[in-house]
Amino acid sequence: MKQRAEPEGGVLYLVGTPIGHLGDLSPRARALLIAVDTIACEDTRHSGQLLSALGSTARRCSFHQHNTHGRIPQLLEELSNGHSVAVISDAGLPGISDPGEDLVAAARNAGHAVICIPGPCAATTALVSSGLPSGRFCFEGFLPAKGRERRDRLAAVVTEQRTTVLYEAPHRLMKLLDELHELCGGERALQVTRELTKRHEQQVGPTVTAALEHFQKHPPQGEFTLVLGGAPEQEQISLNDEQCRQQLAMRIEQGMKPADAAKDLARSAGRSRRELYALLHEQQNQAD
Ligand code: SAM
């Protein structure tokens, strides 16, 4: 089949780049990065190595979470002037936990064509190699770092019946594994993938306990994507009493009043506020 000539003026190209192995850059991505007018890079120094190795002399500009709003109008203007623009991230598919999403929305709103040149993505690479069900899955990316937002998101993740894919930074991995252990127990299926497509690629599982024990012995280093098995149907119903007590204690330690802690947890734990309040009273009476 005859392909259309690329790049075309006025088109925004989202270009997938390797997540480790440089051989994963597609011939189409390579040709486009050489011929396009402008490349918006998450980090110009990081991507500079790849682009120089390709012999790309396209104009490069930085495009990251701290300059998104200023940069989008400039890139839209380039598109309006008939230039072709590519956006790439440090690794993988731009727009997946990476800058790109807002630019695509703005380009579409302004009536510009957007074409994705697909490439590696850590989430799908981890999912398909995990051995966990992939027919239906959800992607959570990075969880919020702390506070109520994190608790609510974790509560949703551990009660989700579909396989869930998460990104995590190495210095936070143990905290996440501890939380998963506390909330869904040690036997829940989990594959922690490390350094996908790189020389030291590794899969650690098959359960939360196995992963926790492994990384207690081998402190986490490198890049991680987690694939968590879905909750069995009965776990969907609610957290048990002990898990609720722990969750309530955590909220009270963080400064919530007991009534607010019960109200807050009721929202995500599938338990009524009255039941949770009774648990708190029980605990209080035992302590007196
Ligand atoms: N847009 C990218 C993609 O398509 O996968 C992801 C960018 S996100 C900012 C970076 C996170 O992806 C890392 O913190 C890690 O969780 C995951 N990741 C990226 N490369 C990886 C690799 N080679 N192995 C495992 N996880 C990886």
Side-chain angles (χ1 to χ4, degrees), residues 10-288:
V11 176
L12 175 68
Y13 293 90
L14 288 170
V15 184
T17 58
I19 55 171
H21 197 302
L22 293 179
D24 292 336
L25 185 76
S26 74
R28 183 181 172 202
R30 175 186 298 262
L32 188 113
L33 291 174
I34 291 170
V36 76
D37 294 315
T38 298
I39 305 178
C41 314
E42 185 177 7
D43 177 339
T44 45
R45 268 201 308 184
H46 177 94
S47 298
Q49 294 175 11
L50 173 76
L51 297 174
S52 300
L54 298 181
S56 167
T57 53
R59 191 181 85 79
R60 298 168 198 171
C61 70
S62 67
F63 179 62
H64 47 70
Q65 55 174 339
H66 303 296
N67 71 358
T68 308
H69 290 295
R71 198 61 98 192
I72 286 176
Q74 295 168 4
L75 293 169
L76 292 185
E77 197 180 327
E78 289 210 36
L79 292 170
S80 299
N81 290 338
H83 296 148
S84 53
V85 175
V87 55
I88 59 175
S89 67
D90 284 350
L93 212 48
I96 302 288
S97 299
D98 266 339
E101 191 178 344
D102 292 344
L103 177 60
V104 171
R108 286 213 173 275
N109 280 340
H112 297 293
V114 179
I115 290 179
C116 178
I117 298 191
C121 172
T124 47
T125 307
L127 174 71
V128 297
S129 44
S130 69
L132 290 165
S134 57
R136 294 172 69 227
F137 68 93
C138 52
F139 173 67
E140 283 285 345
F142 294 101
L143 294 177
K146 55 187 178 186
R148 179 160 157 199
E149 277 191 340
R150 182 174 178 90
R151 286 196 308 270
D152 285 353
R153 195 75 74 80
L154 266 168
V157 164
V158 301
T159 52
E160 171 59 57
Q161 287 186 300
R162 291 168 295 178
T163 302
T164 296
V165 182
L166 297 153
Y167 287 157
E168 192 50 288
H171 65 282
R172 291 179 187 276
L173 181 72
M174 293 311 288
K175 177 173 185 252
L176 178 57
L177 293 178
D178 281 334
E179 288 165 325
L180 292 176
H181 193 267
E182 180 191 316
L183 291 171
C184 53
E187 291 313 303
R188 177 74 72 85
L190 176 71
Q191 283 293 338
V192 179
T193 62
R194 175 175 167 265
E195 298 287 79
L196 287 163
T197 77
K198 303 183 194 176
R199 187 203 293 225
H200 298 295
E201 171 163 353
Q202 195 182 12
Q203 305 262 345
V204 179
T207 60
V208 172
T209 296
L212 194 54
E213 287 177 357
H214 174 91
F215 289 109
Q216 278 162 349
K217 288 194 210 118
H218 309 278
Q221 279 183 342
E223 300 206 84
F224 293 90
T225 298
L226 288 80
V227 186
L228 181 69
E233 225 162 301
Q234 65 273 22
E235 281 185 35
Q236 185 81 351
I237 299 162
S238 59
L239 299 182
N240 67 29
D241 285 359
E242 189 46 40
Q243 289 165 332
C244 287
R245 281 192 201 96
Q246 285 169 358
Q247 288 288 313
L248 288 166
M250 224 158 72
R251 284 165 169 74
I252 292 168
E253 262 169 41
Q254 286 170 356
M256 277 193 186
K257 290 187 186 138
D260 292 336
K263 186 172 160 193
D264 182 50
L265 183 61
R267 259 194 285 263
S268 53
R271 304 283 297 254
S272 77
R273 206 184 327 173
R274 216 153 43 109
E275 273 179 319
L276 295 174
Y277 213 58
L279 278 180
L280 272 175
H281 271 298
E282 230 174 71
Q283 215 169 3
Q284 185 67 44
N285 290 340
Q286 280 167 5
D288 289 341

